[in-house]
Amino acid sequence: MEKIQLRRLQATDGENVYRMLQQIGANENDFTNSMYGKPKEEFAAWLQRGDGFYYGRGLLPGMVRNGTYWLFADETPVGYGKLRFAGLEAPAVAQYGHIGYAVAKPYRGKGYGVKLLAGLLAEAEKEGLKEVMLHVNRANNASYKTAARCGGVIREDKYPGMWEFWFSLV
């Protein structure tokens, strides 16, 4: 039986994570993967920045404390997600939502999106968030189904081309 695990980004993450990041485009369905297409020599510094963001260090103007998480199937990274730990009063959260996630191309259509989103929702609850918002590109039917399967409810329709899903964590 496959062992599924959500792991927080660590500054020591290895080449298997780097390779997975190369299988998710730079901006697929409005999910930003800033490591796509970057040389491996930049990976360690990217991990260091991401680790700092979790602790609130090195945040650029407008950023909020956030975490990056890898979804592993056995010992293979298959996708990743980002979670903002602030409330809706933060402009970054109001504009982009609390969560973003993507599954690497070779692993799509296998249920990993549901496992990844469910894991990110559990992390949001651990961080004390009571309600979480997720924007889903209307062209991304797979993410629409994933959000619905994880209990998301469309509450507003204020962004063109996007669904706004809400998850109650209480």
Side-chain angles (χ1 to χ4, degrees):
M1 178 172 227
E2 187 174 59
K3 179 183 174 189
I4 300 296
Q5 190 177 32
L6 191 70
R7 301 179 191 169
R8 187 176 63 78
L9 175 150
Q10 301 293 314
T12 56
D13 285 328
E15 188 172 330
N16 60 344
V17 171
Y18 173 79
R19 283 192 310 269
M20 182 267 302
L21 290 167
Q22 301 313 303
Q23 298 173 332
I24 299 170
N27 190 16
E28 290 185 15
N29 295 305
D30 296 304
F31 178 81
T32 302
N33 173 11
S34 59
M35 235 1 257
Y36 179 76
K38 298 284 171 76
K40 189 174 160 204
E41 295 76 35
E42 295 180 24
F43 184 51
W46 185 85
L47 288 171
Q48 288 285 345
R49 280 192 304 278
D51 191 47
F53 295 163
Y54 180 80
Y55 296 102
R57 296 189 308 258
L59 299 173
L60 301 173
M63 287 180 75
V64 297
R65 185 175 155 263
N66 64 83
T68 297
Y69 298 85
W70 317 122
L71 183 70
F72 277 79
D74 293 322
E75 289 302 312
T76 302
V78 298
Y80 88 107
K82 303 172 197 172
L83 173 61
R84 293 179 182 91
F85 302 129
L88 284 176
E89 69 282 354
V93 175
Q95 183 174 359
Y96 303 112
H98 290 95
I99 292 176
Y101 67 93
V103 174
K105 288 177 186 161
Y107 305 103
R108 293 179 186 165
K110 300 176 188 213
Y112 292 123
V114 170
K115 292 170 182 161
L116 179 53
L117 180 54
L120 292 167
L121 292 168
E123 290 297 322
E125 187 173 18
K126 286 181 198 172
E127 286 288 333
L129 295 171
K130 307 277 186 246
E131 198 169 45
V132 173
M133 188 225 317
L134 165 69
H135 289 153
V136 174
N137 185 309
R138 287 181 182 261
N140 189 345
N141 195 44
S143 279
Y144 174 92
K145 290 177 182 178
T146 295
R149 282 188 193 122
C150 288
V153 175
I154 297 174
R155 193 182 295 169
E156 296 185 50
D157 190 13
K158 61 184 177 184
Y159 295 104
M162 294 288 196
W163 285 297
E164 189 174 284
F165 278 91
W166 288 84
F167 302 83
S168 177
L169 304 179
V170 290

PDB file of all heavy atoms in Angstrom, residues 62-64 84-99 131-136 156 158-159 162-166:
ATOM      1  N   GLY A  62       4.201  43.111   0.971  1.00  0.00           N
ATOM      2  CA  GLY A  62       2.925  42.518   0.563  1.00  0.00           C
ATOM      3  C   GLY A  62       2.816  41.033   0.869  1.00  0.00           C
ATOM      4  O   GLY A  62       1.729  40.464   0.814  1.00  0.00           O
ATOM      5  N   MET A  63       3.931  40.378   1.173  1.00  0.00           N
ATOM      6  CA  MET A  63       3.899  38.945   1.500  1.00  0.00           C
ATOM      7  C   MET A  63       3.475  38.748   2.948  1.00  0.00           C
ATOM      8  O   MET A  63       3.658  39.624   3.779  1.00  0.00           O
ATOM      9  CB  MET A  63       5.276  38.304   1.297  1.00  0.00           C
ATOM     10  CG  MET A  63       5.676  38.121  -0.142  1.00  0.00           C
ATOM     11  SD  MET A  63       7.318  37.344  -0.287  1.00  0.00           S
ATOM     12  CE  MET A  63       6.926  35.653   0.141  1.00  0.00           C
ATOM     13  N   VAL A  64       2.935  37.571   3.216  1.00  0.00           N
ATOM     14  CA  VAL A  64       2.605  37.164   4.580  1.00  0.00           C
ATOM     15  C   VAL A  64       3.343  35.856   4.869  1.00  0.00           C
ATOM     16  O   VAL A  64       3.787  35.156   3.948  1.00  0.00           O
ATOM     17  CB  VAL A  64       1.082  36.971   4.782  1.00  0.00           C
ATOM     18  CG1 VAL A  64       0.338  38.277   4.567  1.00  0.00           C
ATOM     19  CG2 VAL A  64       0.529  35.883   3.869  1.00  0.00           C
ATOM     20  N   ARG A  84      -0.828  30.281   2.878  1.00  0.00           N
ATOM     21  CA  ARG A  84      -0.633  31.566   3.555  1.00  0.00           C
ATOM     22  C   ARG A  84      -1.309  31.482   4.914  1.00  0.00           C
ATOM     23  O   ARG A  84      -2.460  31.072   5.003  1.00  0.00           O
ATOM     24  CB  ARG A  84      -1.229  32.698   2.726  1.00  0.00           C
ATOM     25  CG  ARG A  84      -0.500  32.939   1.434  1.00  0.00           C
ATOM     26  CD  ARG A  84      -1.147  34.075   0.620  1.00  0.00           C
ATOM     27  NE  ARG A  84      -0.450  34.250  -0.623  1.00  0.00           N
ATOM     28  CZ  ARG A  84      -0.767  33.626  -1.756  1.00  0.00           C
ATOM     29  NH1 ARG A  84      -1.789  32.789  -1.801  1.00  0.00           N
ATOM     30  NH2 ARG A  84      -0.067  33.834  -2.852  1.00  0.00           N
ATOM     31  N   PHE A  85      -0.593  31.921   5.949  1.00  0.00           N
ATOM     32  CA  PHE A  85      -1.086  31.763   7.310  1.00  0.00           C
ATOM     33  C   PHE A  85      -1.857  32.970   7.836  1.00  0.00           C
ATOM     34  O   PHE A  85      -2.218  32.990   9.008  1.00  0.00           O
ATOM     35  CB  PHE A  85       0.087  31.462   8.254  1.00  0.00           C
ATOM     36  CG  PHE A  85       0.864  30.238   7.879  1.00  0.00           C
ATOM     37  CD1 PHE A  85       2.241  30.294   7.755  1.00  0.00           C
ATOM     38  CD2 PHE A  85       0.237  29.027   7.655  1.00  0.00           C
ATOM     39  CE1 PHE A  85       2.983  29.162   7.425  1.00  0.00           C
ATOM     40  CE2 PHE A  85       0.957  27.888   7.315  1.00  0.00           C
ATOM     41  CZ  PHE A  85       2.325  27.967   7.208  1.00  0.00           C
ATOM     42  N   ALA A  86      -2.115  33.977   7.033  1.00  0.00           N
ATOM     43  CA  ALA A  86      -2.801  35.196   7.477  1.00  0.00           C
ATOM     44  C   ALA A  86      -4.292  35.123   7.175  1.00  0.00           C
ATOM     45  O   ALA A  86      -4.756  34.291   6.397  1.00  0.00           O
ATOM     46  CB  ALA A  86      -2.189  36.414   6.794  1.00  0.00           C
ATOM     47  N   GLY A  87      -5.028  36.033   7.768  1.00  0.00           N
ATOM     48  CA  GLY A  87      -6.462  36.147   7.513  1.00  0.00           C
ATOM     49  C   GLY A  87      -6.743  36.981   6.284  1.00  0.00           C
ATOM     50  O   GLY A  87      -5.834  37.489   5.616  1.00  0.00           O
ATOM     51  N   LEU A  88      -8.020  37.164   5.991  1.00  0.00           N
ATOM     52  CA  LEU A  88      -8.427  37.889   4.785  1.00  0.00           C
ATOM     53  C   LEU A  88      -8.093  39.372   4.825  1.00  0.00           C
ATOM     54  O   LEU A  88      -8.160  40.047   3.800  1.00  0.00           O
ATOM     55  CB  LEU A  88      -9.928  37.717   4.552  1.00  0.00           C
ATOM     56  CG  LEU A  88     -10.325  36.356   3.993  1.00  0.00           C
ATOM     57  CD1 LEU A  88     -11.832  36.251   3.892  1.00  0.00           C
ATOM     58  CD2 LEU A  88      -9.699  36.119   2.632  1.00  0.00           C
ATOM     59  N   GLU A  89      -7.737  39.881   6.014  1.00  0.00           N
ATOM     60  CA  GLU A  89      -7.350  41.293   6.087  1.00  0.00           C
ATOM     61  C   GLU A  89      -6.042  41.549   5.339  1.00  0.00           C
ATOM     62  O   GLU A  89      -5.739  42.674   4.966  1.00  0.00           O
ATOM     63  CB  GLU A  89      -7.230  41.756   7.546  1.00  0.00           C
ATOM     64  CG  GLU A  89      -6.071  41.164   8.318  1.00  0.00           C
ATOM     65  CD  GLU A  89      -6.285  39.730   8.817  1.00  0.00           C
ATOM     66  OE1 GLU A  89      -7.385  39.172   8.673  1.00  0.00           O
ATOM     67  OE2 GLU A  89      -5.317  39.159   9.330  1.00  0.00           O
ATOM     68  N   ALA A  90      -5.276  40.516   5.106  1.00  0.00           N
ATOM     69  CA  ALA A  90      -4.026  40.642   4.357  1.00  0.00           C
ATOM     70  C   ALA A  90      -4.342  40.700   2.860  1.00  0.00           C
ATOM     71  O   ALA A  90      -4.988  39.793   2.328  1.00  0.00           O
ATOM     72  CB  ALA A  90      -3.107  39.465   4.662  1.00  0.00           C
ATOM     73  N   PRO A  91      -3.899  41.754   2.169  1.00  0.00           N
ATOM     74  CA  PRO A  91      -4.204  41.866   0.735  1.00  0.00           C
ATOM     75  C   PRO A  91      -3.783  40.662  -0.090  1.00  0.00           C
ATOM     76  O   PRO A  91      -4.488  40.267  -1.020  1.00  0.00           O
ATOM     77  CB  PRO A  91      -3.444  43.130   0.318  1.00  0.00           C
ATOM     78  CG  PRO A  91      -3.338  43.940   1.568  1.00  0.00           C
ATOM     79  CD  PRO A  91      -3.196  42.933   2.681  1.00  0.00           C
ATOM     80  N   ALA A  92      -2.654  40.041   0.232  1.00  0.00           N
ATOM     81  CA  ALA A  92      -2.199  38.868  -0.539  1.00  0.00           C
ATOM     82  C   ALA A  92      -3.198  37.729  -0.430  1.00  0.00           C
ATOM     83  O   ALA A  92      -3.450  37.009  -1.408  1.00  0.00           O
ATOM     84  CB  ALA A  92      -0.825  38.412  -0.054  1.00  0.00           C
ATOM     85  N   VAL A  93      -3.786  37.543   0.741  1.00  0.00           N
ATOM     86  CA  VAL A  93      -4.771  36.474   0.927  1.00  0.00           C
ATOM     87  C   VAL A  93      -6.073  36.834   0.226  1.00  0.00           C
ATOM     88  O   VAL A  93      -6.671  36.007  -0.462  1.00  0.00           O
ATOM     89  CB  VAL A  93      -4.999  36.189   2.431  1.00  0.00           C
ATOM     90  CG1 VAL A  93      -6.114  35.172   2.617  1.00  0.00           C
ATOM     91  CG2 VAL A  93      -3.716  35.688   3.070  1.00  0.00           C
ATOM     92  N   ALA A  94      -6.519  38.080   0.395  1.00  0.00           N
ATOM     93  CA  ALA A  94      -7.773  38.516  -0.243  1.00  0.00           C
ATOM     94  C   ALA A  94      -7.684  38.378  -1.759  1.00  0.00           C
ATOM     95  O   ALA A  94      -8.652  37.983  -2.407  1.00  0.00           O
ATOM     96  CB  ALA A  94      -8.090  39.952   0.151  1.00  0.00           C
ATOM     97  N   GLN A  95      -6.523  38.659  -2.322  1.00  0.00           N
ATOM     98  CA  GLN A  95      -6.374  38.612  -3.779  1.00  0.00           C
ATOM     99  C   GLN A  95      -6.104  37.212  -4.313  1.00  0.00           C
ATOM    100  O   GLN A  95      -6.629  36.833  -5.352  1.00  0.00           O
ATOM    101  CB  GLN A  95      -5.249  39.547  -4.215  1.00  0.00           C
ATOM    102  CG  GLN A  95      -5.091  39.613  -5.721  1.00  0.00           C
ATOM    103  CD  GLN A  95      -4.070  40.645  -6.145  1.00  0.00           C
ATOM    104  OE1 GLN A  95      -3.482  41.334  -5.332  1.00  0.00           O
ATOM    105  NE2 GLN A  95      -3.869  40.745  -7.439  1.00  0.00           N
ATOM    106  N   TYR A  96      -5.280  36.427  -3.607  1.00  0.00           N
ATOM    107  CA  TYR A  96      -4.828  35.139  -4.142  1.00  0.00           C
ATOM    108  C   TYR A  96      -5.364  33.920  -3.401  1.00  0.00           C
ATOM    109  O   TYR A  96      -5.198  32.801  -3.866  1.00  0.00           O
ATOM    110  CB  TYR A  96      -3.299  35.073  -4.147  1.00  0.00           C
ATOM    111  CG  TYR A  96      -2.659  36.181  -4.928  1.00  0.00           C
ATOM    112  CD1 TYR A  96      -1.934  37.167  -4.283  1.00  0.00           C
ATOM    113  CD2 TYR A  96      -2.794  36.257  -6.308  1.00  0.00           C
ATOM    114  CE1 TYR A  96      -1.346  38.204  -5.002  1.00  0.00           C
ATOM    115  CE2 TYR A  96      -2.214  37.283  -7.029  1.00  0.00           C
ATOM    116  CZ  TYR A  96      -1.486  38.258  -6.373  1.00  0.00           C
ATOM    117  OH  TYR A  96      -0.914  39.274  -7.080  1.00  0.00           O
ATOM    118  N   GLY A  97      -5.967  34.108  -2.240  1.00  0.00           N
ATOM    119  CA  GLY A  97      -6.445  32.996  -1.450  1.00  0.00           C
ATOM    120  C   GLY A  97      -5.385  32.498  -0.479  1.00  0.00           C
ATOM    121  O   GLY A  97      -4.262  32.983  -0.467  1.00  0.00           O
ATOM    122  N   HIS A  98      -5.763  31.542   0.340  1.00  0.00           N
ATOM    123  CA  HIS A  98      -4.847  30.961   1.321  1.00  0.00           C
ATOM    124  C   HIS A  98      -3.983  29.858   0.723  1.00  0.00           C
ATOM    125  O   HIS A  98      -2.867  29.638   1.178  1.00  0.00           O
ATOM    126  CB  HIS A  98      -5.637  30.345   2.493  1.00  0.00           C
ATOM    127  CG  HIS A  98      -6.303  31.332   3.365  1.00  0.00           C
ATOM    128  ND1 HIS A  98      -7.613  31.711   3.195  1.00  0.00           N
ATOM    129  CD2 HIS A  98      -5.849  32.021   4.426  1.00  0.00           C
ATOM    130  CE1 HIS A  98      -7.937  32.587   4.120  1.00  0.00           C
ATOM    131  NE2 HIS A  98      -6.880  32.791   4.884  1.00  0.00           N
ATOM    132  N   ILE A  99      -4.527  29.146  -0.242  1.00  0.00           N
ATOM    133  CA  ILE A  99      -3.886  27.926  -0.732  1.00  0.00           C
ATOM    134  C   ILE A  99      -3.706  27.968  -2.246  1.00  0.00           C
ATOM    135  O   ILE A  99      -4.578  28.447  -2.978  1.00  0.00           O
ATOM    136  CB  ILE A  99      -4.741  26.686  -0.364  1.00  0.00           C
ATOM    137  CG1 ILE A  99      -4.727  26.458   1.145  1.00  0.00           C
ATOM    138  CG2 ILE A  99      -4.271  25.437  -1.102  1.00  0.00           C
ATOM    139  CD1 ILE A  99      -5.615  25.316   1.608  1.00  0.00           C
ATOM    140  N   GLU A 131     -11.235  29.454   8.562  1.00  0.00           N
ATOM    141  CA  GLU A 131     -11.847  29.423   7.237  1.00  0.00           C
ATOM    142  C   GLU A 131     -10.740  29.686   6.222  1.00  0.00           C
ATOM    143  O   GLU A 131      -9.851  30.497   6.460  1.00  0.00           O
ATOM    144  CB  GLU A 131     -12.918  30.497   7.164  1.00  0.00           C
ATOM    145  CG  GLU A 131     -13.895  30.333   6.063  1.00  0.00           C
ATOM    146  CD  GLU A 131     -15.069  31.294   6.221  1.00  0.00           C
ATOM    147  OE1 GLU A 131     -14.858  32.478   6.518  1.00  0.00           O
ATOM    148  OE2 GLU A 131     -16.189  30.828   6.021  1.00  0.00           O
ATOM    149  N   VAL A 132     -10.799  28.988   5.106  1.00  0.00           N
ATOM    150  CA  VAL A 132      -9.755  29.097   4.087  1.00  0.00           C
ATOM    151  C   VAL A 132     -10.406  29.320   2.728  1.00  0.00           C
ATOM    152  O   VAL A 132     -11.426  28.717   2.412  1.00  0.00           O
ATOM    153  CB  VAL A 132      -8.890  27.808   4.071  1.00  0.00           C
ATOM    154  CG1 VAL A 132      -7.919  27.806   2.925  1.00  0.00           C
ATOM    155  CG2 VAL A 132      -8.153  27.644   5.387  1.00  0.00           C
ATOM    156  N   MET A 133      -9.777  30.186   1.941  1.00  0.00           N
ATOM    157  CA  MET A 133     -10.260  30.482   0.600  1.00  0.00           C
ATOM    158  C   MET A 133      -9.260  29.985  -0.439  1.00  0.00           C
ATOM    159  O   MET A 133      -8.052  30.082  -0.246  1.00  0.00           O
ATOM    160  CB  MET A 133     -10.456  31.986   0.423  1.00  0.00           C
ATOM    161  CG  MET A 133     -11.128  32.337  -0.885  1.00  0.00           C
ATOM    162  SD  MET A 133     -10.385  33.708  -1.781  1.00  0.00           S
ATOM    163  CE  MET A 133     -10.047  34.925  -0.582  1.00  0.00           C
ATOM    164  N   LEU A 134      -9.791  29.446  -1.518  1.00  0.00           N
ATOM    165  CA  LEU A 134      -8.986  28.920  -2.618  1.00  0.00           C
ATOM    166  C   LEU A 134      -9.589  29.413  -3.925  1.00  0.00           C
ATOM    167  O   LEU A 134     -10.788  29.261  -4.151  1.00  0.00           O
ATOM    168  CB  LEU A 134      -9.006  27.382  -2.572  1.00  0.00           C
ATOM    169  CG  LEU A 134      -8.530  26.616  -3.803  1.00  0.00           C
ATOM    170  CD1 LEU A 134      -7.029  26.792  -3.978  1.00  0.00           C
ATOM    171  CD2 LEU A 134      -8.887  25.144  -3.674  1.00  0.00           C
ATOM    172  N   HIS A 135      -8.765  30.024  -4.766  1.00  0.00           N
ATOM    173  CA  HIS A 135      -9.210  30.402  -6.106  1.00  0.00           C
ATOM    174  C   HIS A 135      -8.890  29.264  -7.067  1.00  0.00           C
ATOM    175  O   HIS A 135      -7.787  28.717  -7.026  1.00  0.00           O
ATOM    176  CB  HIS A 135      -8.499  31.664  -6.589  1.00  0.00           C
ATOM    177  CG  HIS A 135      -8.943  32.895  -5.886  1.00  0.00           C
ATOM    178  ND1 HIS A 135      -8.138  33.989  -5.737  1.00  0.00           N
ATOM    179  CD2 HIS A 135     -10.103  33.226  -5.279  1.00  0.00           C
ATOM    180  CE1 HIS A 135      -8.777  34.935  -5.090  1.00  0.00           C
ATOM    181  NE2 HIS A 135      -9.976  34.489  -4.796  1.00  0.00           N
ATOM    182  N   VAL A 136      -9.841  28.938  -7.913  1.00  0.00           N
ATOM    183  CA  VAL A 136      -9.651  27.892  -8.916  1.00  0.00           C
ATOM    184  C   VAL A 136      -9.962  28.480 -10.288  1.00  0.00           C
ATOM    185  O   VAL A 136     -11.046  29.033 -10.507  1.00  0.00           O
ATOM    186  CB  VAL A 136     -10.568  26.672  -8.635  1.00  0.00           C
ATOM    187  CG1 VAL A 136     -10.472  25.658  -9.765  1.00  0.00           C
ATOM    188  CG2 VAL A 136     -10.217  26.032  -7.306  1.00  0.00           C
ATOM    189  N   GLU A 156     -18.637  33.128  -3.587  1.00  0.00           N
ATOM    190  CA  GLU A 156     -18.697  34.382  -4.334  1.00  0.00           C
ATOM    191  C   GLU A 156     -18.179  34.156  -5.741  1.00  0.00           C
ATOM    192  O   GLU A 156     -17.454  33.211  -6.003  1.00  0.00           O
ATOM    193  CB  GLU A 156     -17.858  35.462  -3.649  1.00  0.00           C
ATOM    194  CG  GLU A 156     -18.380  35.845  -2.274  1.00  0.00           C
ATOM    195  CD  GLU A 156     -17.605  37.002  -1.682  1.00  0.00           C
ATOM    196  OE1 GLU A 156     -17.436  38.007  -2.391  1.00  0.00           O
ATOM    197  OE2 GLU A 156     -17.189  36.884  -0.530  1.00  0.00           O
ATOM    198  N   LYS A 158     -16.566  36.847  -7.757  1.00  0.00           N
ATOM    199  CA  LYS A 158     -16.152  38.229  -7.982  1.00  0.00           C
ATOM    200  C   LYS A 158     -14.930  38.388  -8.875  1.00  0.00           C
ATOM    201  O   LYS A 158     -14.606  39.484  -9.265  1.00  0.00           O
ATOM    202  CB  LYS A 158     -15.939  38.941  -6.652  1.00  0.00           C
ATOM    203  CG  LYS A 158     -14.881  38.357  -5.765  1.00  0.00           C
ATOM    204  CD  LYS A 158     -14.851  39.108  -4.442  1.00  0.00           C
ATOM    205  CE  LYS A 158     -13.835  38.489  -3.509  1.00  0.00           C
ATOM    206  NZ  LYS A 158     -13.835  39.118  -2.215  1.00  0.00           N
ATOM    207  N   TYR A 159     -14.239  37.292  -9.181  1.00  0.00           N
ATOM    208  CA  TYR A 159     -13.062  37.379 -10.037  1.00  0.00           C
ATOM    209  C   TYR A 159     -13.347  36.704 -11.366  1.00  0.00           C
ATOM    210  O   TYR A 159     -13.661  35.518 -11.403  1.00  0.00           O
ATOM    211  CB  TYR A 159     -11.845  36.715  -9.378  1.00  0.00           C
ATOM    212  CG  TYR A 159     -11.399  37.423  -8.124  1.00  0.00           C
ATOM    213  CD1 TYR A 159     -11.677  36.889  -6.871  1.00  0.00           C
ATOM    214  CD2 TYR A 159     -10.706  38.621  -8.193  1.00  0.00           C
ATOM    215  CE1 TYR A 159     -11.269  37.549  -5.712  1.00  0.00           C
ATOM    216  CE2 TYR A 159     -10.305  39.286  -7.052  1.00  0.00           C
ATOM    217  CZ  TYR A 159     -10.587  38.739  -5.814  1.00  0.00           C
ATOM    218  OH  TYR A 159     -10.192  39.381  -4.683  1.00  0.00           O
ATOM    219  N   MET A 162     -12.431  32.880 -12.454  1.00  0.00           N
ATOM    220  CA  MET A 162     -12.062  32.143 -11.231  1.00  0.00           C
ATOM    221  C   MET A 162     -13.292  31.756 -10.429  1.00  0.00           C
ATOM    222  O   MET A 162     -14.260  32.508 -10.354  1.00  0.00           O
ATOM    223  CB  MET A 162     -11.193  33.011 -10.310  1.00  0.00           C
ATOM    224  CG  MET A 162      -9.855  33.349 -10.844  1.00  0.00           C
ATOM    225  SD  MET A 162      -8.814  31.899 -10.819  1.00  0.00           S
ATOM    226  CE  MET A 162      -7.239  32.619 -11.010  1.00  0.00           C
ATOM    227  N   TRP A 163     -13.223  30.581  -9.820  1.00  0.00           N
ATOM    228  CA  TRP A 163     -14.181  30.205  -8.784  1.00  0.00           C
ATOM    229  C   TRP A 163     -13.524  30.517  -7.457  1.00  0.00           C
ATOM    230  O   TRP A 163     -12.311  30.323  -7.288  1.00  0.00           O
ATOM    231  CB  TRP A 163     -14.504  28.716  -8.827  1.00  0.00           C
ATOM    232  CG  TRP A 163     -15.401  28.290  -9.925  1.00  0.00           C
ATOM    233  CD1 TRP A 163     -16.701  28.674 -10.125  1.00  0.00           C
ATOM    234  CD2 TRP A 163     -15.102  27.372 -10.963  1.00  0.00           C
ATOM    235  NE1 TRP A 163     -17.206  28.045 -11.231  1.00  0.00           N
ATOM    236  CE2 TRP A 163     -16.237  27.240 -11.765  1.00  0.00           C
ATOM    237  CE3 TRP A 163     -13.965  26.640 -11.295  1.00  0.00           C
ATOM    238  CZ2 TRP A 163     -16.292  26.411 -12.874  1.00  0.00           C
ATOM    239  CZ3 TRP A 163     -13.994  25.822 -12.396  1.00  0.00           C
ATOM    240  CH2 TRP A 163     -15.164  25.716 -13.179  1.00  0.00           C
ATOM    241  N   GLU A 164     -14.297  30.960  -6.491  1.00  0.00           N
ATOM    242  CA  GLU A 164     -13.790  31.217  -5.150  1.00  0.00           C
ATOM    243  C   GLU A 164     -14.397  30.176  -4.209  1.00  0.00           C
ATOM    244  O   GLU A 164     -15.559  30.271  -3.849  1.00  0.00           O
ATOM    245  CB  GLU A 164     -14.147  32.650  -4.716  1.00  0.00           C
ATOM    246  CG  GLU A 164     -13.481  33.081  -3.454  1.00  0.00           C
ATOM    247  CD  GLU A 164     -13.763  34.531  -3.159  1.00  0.00           C
ATOM    248  OE1 GLU A 164     -13.167  35.416  -3.813  1.00  0.00           O
ATOM    249  OE2 GLU A 164     -14.586  34.794  -2.262  1.00  0.00           O
ATOM    250  N   PHE A 165     -13.591  29.195  -3.848  1.00  0.00           N
ATOM    251  CA  PHE A 165     -14.042  28.131  -2.951  1.00  0.00           C
ATOM    252  C   PHE A 165     -13.684  28.499  -1.509  1.00  0.00           C
ATOM    253  O   PHE A 165     -12.602  29.013  -1.245  1.00  0.00           O
ATOM    254  CB  PHE A 165     -13.344  26.806  -3.280  1.00  0.00           C
ATOM    255  CG  PHE A 165     -13.964  26.054  -4.413  1.00  0.00           C
ATOM    256  CD1 PHE A 165     -13.542  26.242  -5.710  1.00  0.00           C
ATOM    257  CD2 PHE A 165     -14.993  25.135  -4.169  1.00  0.00           C
ATOM    258  CE1 PHE A 165     -14.104  25.542  -6.758  1.00  0.00           C
ATOM    259  CE2 PHE A 165     -15.558  24.420  -5.217  1.00  0.00           C
ATOM    260  CZ  PHE A 165     -15.123  24.624  -6.511  1.00  0.00           C
ATOM    261  N   TRP A 166     -14.591  28.177  -0.604  1.00  0.00           N
ATOM    262  CA  TRP A 166     -14.380  28.382   0.835  1.00  0.00           C
ATOM    263  C   TRP A 166     -14.475  27.051   1.559  1.00  0.00           C
ATOM    264  O   TRP A 166     -15.304  26.214   1.230  1.00  0.00           O
ATOM    265  CB  TRP A 166     -15.424  29.352   1.386  1.00  0.00           C
ATOM    266  CG  TRP A 166     -15.172  30.754   0.939  1.00  0.00           C
ATOM    267  CD1 TRP A 166     -15.571  31.324  -0.245  1.00  0.00           C
ATOM    268  CD2 TRP A 166     -14.451  31.742   1.637  1.00  0.00           C
ATOM    269  NE1 TRP A 166     -15.130  32.614  -0.304  1.00  0.00           N
ATOM    270  CE2 TRP A 166     -14.446  32.907   0.852  1.00  0.00           C
ATOM    271  CE3 TRP A 166     -13.801  31.766   2.879  1.00  0.00           C
ATOM    272  CZ2 TRP A 166     -13.818  34.068   1.248  1.00  0.00           C
ATOM    273  CZ3 TRP A 166     -13.186  32.929   3.271  1.00  0.00           C
ATOM    274  CH2 TRP A 166     -13.199  34.070   2.451  1.00  0.00           C
TER     275      TRP A 166
END
